[in-house]
Amino acid sequence: MAYASNAQTSAPFNPLGLIAGFFRAIGNGLVHLAESNHRVNRARTLMELSDEELAQRGLKREDVVKHVFSDIMYV
């Protein structure tokens, strides 16, 4: 038999925890911003295609990122 408890302990005030939480929130926001970029979504969609489907589009799997970001990135 399993027992569950929802008891909460009160932790002492931790200013370093507040600072870490602030920077964690900023980092999570930046990750969310980057992942919601339409280019990232397009690259993710193309990477989900099979190699045959990519070949029909004239792409190789290793060139997907270069193709999606070609107008803003020079390699």
Side-chain angles (χ1 to χ4, degrees):
M1 173 172 245
Y3 294 100
S5 172
N6 62 354
Q8 297 177 355
T9 59
S10 61
F13 179 72
N14 183 359
L16 292 178
L18 289 175
I19 294 170
F22 172 74
F23 286 109
R24 188 177 308 116
I26 290 175
N28 289 339
L30 290 174
V31 168
H32 177 71
L33 184 67
E35 288 180 346
S36 65
N37 186 326
H38 71 280
R39 294 177 199 276
V40 174
N41 292 335
R42 176 74 176 142
R44 188 176 293 136
T45 301
L46 287 172
M47 291 300 282
E48 290 173 354
L49 296 177
S50 68
D51 289 337
E52 293 79 21
E53 291 171 322
L54 286 172
Q56 289 174 353
R57 295 174 185 231
L59 291 171
K60 290 188 247 177
R61 188 161 307 278
E62 59 267 14
D63 296 332
V64 167
V65 173
K66 191 186 304 182
H67 171 72
V68 172
F69 291 92
S70 64
D71 61 333
I72 61 169
M73 178 179 78
Y74 177 77
V75 178

